[in-house]
Amino acid sequence: ADIVQKGRLGPGQMINVDLKSGEFKDNIKIKSEIASRHPYGEWLAKGRKDVDKLAFSEERLYDDATATFAQGTFGWGLEDIGMQIQDMAGSGKETTYSMGDDAPIAVLSERPHTPYNYLKQRFAQVTNPPIDPLREGVVMSVAMTLGKKESIYQVSEKGARLIHLKSPVLNDAEMERIASFAEPENGAFKQSTISTRYALADGPEGIKKAIDAICDKAVEDVRNGVEVAILSDKAAGQSEFEESTYIPPLVAVGAVHHRLIEEGLRMDTGIVMETGSAWSTHHFACLIGYGANAVHPYLALETVKQWHGSSRTQSMMKAGKLKETTLDEAQQNYRVAVENGLLKILSKMGISLLSSYQGAQIFEAIGLGEDVINTSLKGTTSRVGGVSLADIASETVMMRPESASEKAKLTNYGYYKPVPKLGEYHANSSDLAKLLHDAIGLDKTVSAATNRDEVENDGVKPKSVANYEIFKKSLESAPLANIRDLLDFESDRESIPIEEVEPVSEIMKRFCTGAMSLGALSREAHETLAIAVNRVGGKSNSGEGGEDVIRGKDITDVDEKGRSPTFPHLAGLKNGDSANSYIHQVASGRFGVTPEFLVTAKQVEIKMAQGAKPGEGGQLPGPKVSDYIATLRASKPGVTLISPPPHHDIYSIEDLAQLIHDLHAVNEKAGVSVKLVSSIGIGTVACGVAKANADVIQISGGDGGTGASPLSSIKHAGCPWELGLSEAHSALMNNGLRDRVTLRVDGGIRTGRDIAIAAMMGAEEYGFGTIAMIAEGCVMARVCHLNTCPVGVTSQKEELRKKFPGTPEHVVNFFLFVAEEVRELMAHLGYSKFEDLIGRADLLKESDEQLARVAKTKGVSLTGFFSGIPDSKEDRAFLRATPEEGGGVKTETVHVNGFSSDLDREMCNHPDVKTAIERNSGETAVSFNIKNTDRSACAMLAGDIARKYGNKGLDGNLNINIFGSAGQSFGAFVLPGLKVRLTGEANDYVGKGMHGGEIVVLPEADAGFVASESSIVGNACLYGATGGDFHANGRAGERFCVRNSGAYAVCEGTGDHCCEYMTGGVVVALGTVGRNVGAGMTGGIGYFYDEDGRFEERVNGEIVKIQRVSTPAGELQLKNMIERHFEKTGSEKAEAILDNWSEEVGKFWQVYPPSEAQSAVVTDSIVGEQVKVSARAPSQDLCYLPVGADLNADQTTRCAD
């Protein structure tokens, strides 16, 4: 009763209490006061010059021969036009690709690379959250400014005198508009253009002199009052191209930026980079990240014109293979694709504004030498050294075509798609797949579509040691690709006979498969991998798509032909096989995460990041969302699924610790692993994750595979696992935390040699991704994202799945070969026990022979990289669990939740609760008190029920009445038969992963505040819910029902992003909501009571549509849910609406996505069609009402009480 007002502080909000006057100021009052101190609007109107987006020129800059020559000199390849320009100009989107990055890192490549390719984008993981540029772009902007910036400490009219750019990607007309601001009457912004070209005759060493010259000129110009400095590598024509070369724009802009900083002049000018060497989103990010305020990509726009005018493009448009566009539209599309790509790149680091990203240098260099870093990239981490400025100049000249001619074609470097013999080396090739298939006895022509039933042993041929040796040698003699290729072994003891080495069965226990989801993979591929890994005692991983509950049971119905009626699509089975993945993954999309999915796991993995696209969510193209996949993921067939970036309940280290706590609560016997991606600083993150009670930390390399991802993410984000693994191991050792966690590594691991090196760097378990898919038949067609896999490994099409050639035996054969190779290496090194190699980096050395193979590796040095790894030769205690946990084998030890789960344990051990679960019928009621340190309350209870009865839950009702202020994740994973009523309030994540049953939250009876105006539950409530009824007599926070796919929820108002990423269920909000309603919503229905008439402006209309409640079925559904809300909570707001229903129903808006457009609640339907009004009851038919009917007695009891 002492509380007169109760609310929450939303994002970007503040409150203030004046201790002298006693006045309380809310967010609006504080900001209004600050905003009224100066006439900011007048200053901007008077001083700021705006450059809006202007029409693109259709005139060509060069003829085709000169354009192609220019493209060649700037490093363009055929793929850049055929893949990137075609997708960006044709559809306004960045290229989507698959399979990860298996090409050499730039410094080890024998082909020339632009300097951009030596930089890897950094990203947020655990320390802070990424932003969602797709669904929450409302908080982001790519606008930039040019001109002299005043000090932030001196607020004056001068600060408004800037050139404001709507876009950092400029065209000719916008460049002319900027030039017009130099006129005295138009702002008098003094400007200069500095050429970054220099004479080809000056040779590679000439680049240093040229850099000094442009830096000196920039300093002189800015001192003379220049406010817009344009650095340009444009050549007037063919003759200038032939006589000169250029400073790569990244090197040029970085050098000028840092020189101006040194001279104290950087804030006095804006830098525009006018370049022919920028076409991909990564290029723009690098240029802006190292100092450019804007980029004029004149050659990219010229290339769009050349591409658009080509006969091939025109014929593709006429044939309907490309959308028809005008030349102006194609150039606009290109700019939109670059802008969206930039938003995605800066969002990975949690940055909202491109102006904040500018000059922030959020990259790590791999393969750049000290003089490059000190000249242009000052402060950037470069851990292994690399190429010099002269090397970069040489590499730039290597790209030049021999001459210009009409018939000349660009080189196809094969950086993305392999080009046999001529292009870049790719470790995973069709040739490599054939060698491995020959070794493991796989014949890709034998499948269910051909003659599998007629041939002996399902067509599995005997495995061939000789052929595995050929496979192994092909990798050993291949071009350098990874940092580990520069290493060799240096043992400290004599070799031993192989008979003394531990058996393959022990080594294979450390093998895991990568997290590849069912959906990205076909059922055949996914289940075959799981069965194979279970056979060898390893750990398979479900990926983020959930799993069929039938896989939780051992296969016991196999006939003499190796066939099972339960799994009729698989071959080569044995009785006792299990298709249940050892590790069940929980990702940001929460697809398939149900109580049964969690309790049938032996380990639960939290996907913080993915190697192929760290900082982004998963992606499953619509054609791959079959009826079966949609059922598992509780989504709509045919609708593309894009997971949110890893935020919501892994927003920070505290939130991650809470999710780890939730998972330990629902399944106390399963360890929790956290998947991170290699990047500088991962050591600090790993220490935080270990303290947060994770049992396993997985380090993924940036080259990991994927079913679908933006191309620039595959190529340019995330670092090699060698760097991340050694940093994480070292940091954990140095902080006394290494014995608390098992380290696992994956990303391009193919051989026993890779495993031995990973072990010496600190890993205890090893994940196989792409190579495991090859072992079951993948032929590296690289069309995973298109659903056209020719051997049914990554397709959901029935006719292609029948062509799947793999059996568990093929994959087992591969694992046996790898384990045997490890044994041979151990014998050679003189070690009989594998664990004695773990953490022994002293057994590795740089290989001079390998370093000499590529000219540009002469500046590479791995010595500094190894010097920081602690010496663990004598002290091996880190291989065992902590003494407090018994000091046993780490993989058999699971951390236990502390006092925050005491209430949960008390609930589970209550005699009435135990009896109710055992009896499984009737009504049982128990009461408990709660405080806000009691976290994940009811999760353990839900786990106990799910272990006994699965997702269907109890047949009876277990009523849990709780009083007090609940901690985070109250009611997590509640399932049918469990009815939880909280009198008080709750924190974030109420009803996380709810699958059924009921959660009711209401204030105390004597509360002195108005319930409908006060917050009662926190943020991200019902995140990933798949069923259940939820009622809150009060307001909810941000992201209410994010990724809800089945819950029926009523609250009295929400914050921003309500119904985000929703794929099913129904949400009713009886009060005002924040902005961005329905963003990414592809299923389900929302009803919103519009009191202030502002609801329409708060909806994200990208996918959803809105209408008034216009059908009898819709009105029936809404009214029943509000009636139940009143019955459950006594809500005054609900009562007032119901008392005046005929008038109040007209104030509701109905929000629906296209997939629901034909449902009865959205469009008029015939009487007799059923309408779902509840998701609590385990029996689905009890949750439906015929249109025009009332609840019958049975439905009243079971559905709505």
Side-chain angles (χ1 to χ4, degrees), residues 971-987:
F973 313 116
V974 162
L975 71 178
L978 192 52
K979 297 169 72 174
V980 184
R981 183 180 179 89
L982 171 65
T983 304
E985 62 184 2
N987 219 299

Side-chain angles (χ1 to χ4, degrees), residues 343-585:
L343 288 176
K344 182 203 69 188
I345 289 166
L346 60 112
S347 74
K348 290 179 196 176
M349 201 63 192
I351 294 173
S352 302
L353 306 176
L354 190 62
S355 53
S356 300
Y357 189 82
Q358 189 246 338
Q361 304 192 162
I362 302 174
F363 297 87
E364 177 171 357
I366 296 174
L368 291 179
E370 209 173 318
D371 65 336
V372 181
I373 299 293
N374 290 341
T375 303
S376 300
L377 316 175
K378 232 170 249 178
T380 302
T381 301
S382 182
R383 290 186 270 186
V384 294
V387 296
S388 64
L389 285 167
D391 292 332
I392 284 176
S394 299
E395 215 167 0
T396 304
V397 173
M398 277 171 69
M399 298 171 188
R400 292 172 67 85
E402 288 179 22
S403 63
S405 74
E406 292 295 332
K407 293 181 181 176
K409 282 190 175 177
L410 284 176
T411 305
N412 189 351
Y413 291 110
Y415 291 142
Y416 316 130
K417 290 181 180 175
V419 179
K421 297 190 175 100
L422 302 168
E424 180 66 278
Y425 166 69
H426 286 260
N428 296 322
S429 63
S430 53
D431 291 342
L432 179 97
K434 182 165 188 332
L435 290 174
L436 184 58
H437 293 165
D438 290 345
I440 61 177
L442 187 143
D443 181 349
K444 69 178 188 218
T445 65
V446 177
S447 68
T450 57
N451 60 339
R452 175 184 276 165
D453 290 340
E454 297 152 28
V455 293
E456 190 183 347
N457 196 25
D458 294 315
V460 182
K461 298 172 183 173
K463 64 180 191 286
S464 163
V465 175
N467 283 337
Y468 184 77
E469 283 300 313
I470 296 170
F471 163 78
K472 198 170 77 176
K473 288 281 188 292
S474 78
L475 283 168
E476 285 170 6
S477 60
L480 300 177
N482 304 294
I483 288 175
R484 59 186 175 276
D485 296 340
L486 302 176
L487 297 172
D488 209 345
F489 301 112
E490 186 175 44
S491 188
D492 57 351
R493 55 180 79 170
E494 295 295 314
S495 297
I496 58 172
I498 197 160
E499 293 75 24
E500 293 178 23
V501 178
E502 70 182 21
V504 289
S505 56
E506 286 302 306
I507 293 166
M508 289 193 296
K509 286 178 185 174
R510 299 178 180 274
F511 292 178
C512 311
T513 51
M516 298 176 279
S517 73
L518 179 51
L521 268 57
S522 65
R523 276 192 78 176
E524 289 80 355
H526 201 267
E527 291 165 6
T528 297
L529 275 182
I531 291 165
V533 182
N534 287 336
R535 275 189 196 172
V536 302
K539 298 176 177 69
S540 57
N541 192 316
S542 69
E544 66 168 303
E547 278 190 355
D548 199 323
V549 292
I550 197 72
R551 290 173 63 172
K553 301 172 178 67
D554 286 353
I555 305 170
T556 55
D557 56 356
V558 181
D559 62 22
E560 67 281 354
K561 278 193 156 186
R563 301 290 191 276
S564 157
T566 314
F567 294 89
H569 47 285
L570 299 183
L573 300 177
K574 298 175 182 176
N575 277 315
D577 275 340
S578 169
N580 184 33
S581 293
Y582 186 103
I583 303 165
H584 288 184
Q585 192 182 70

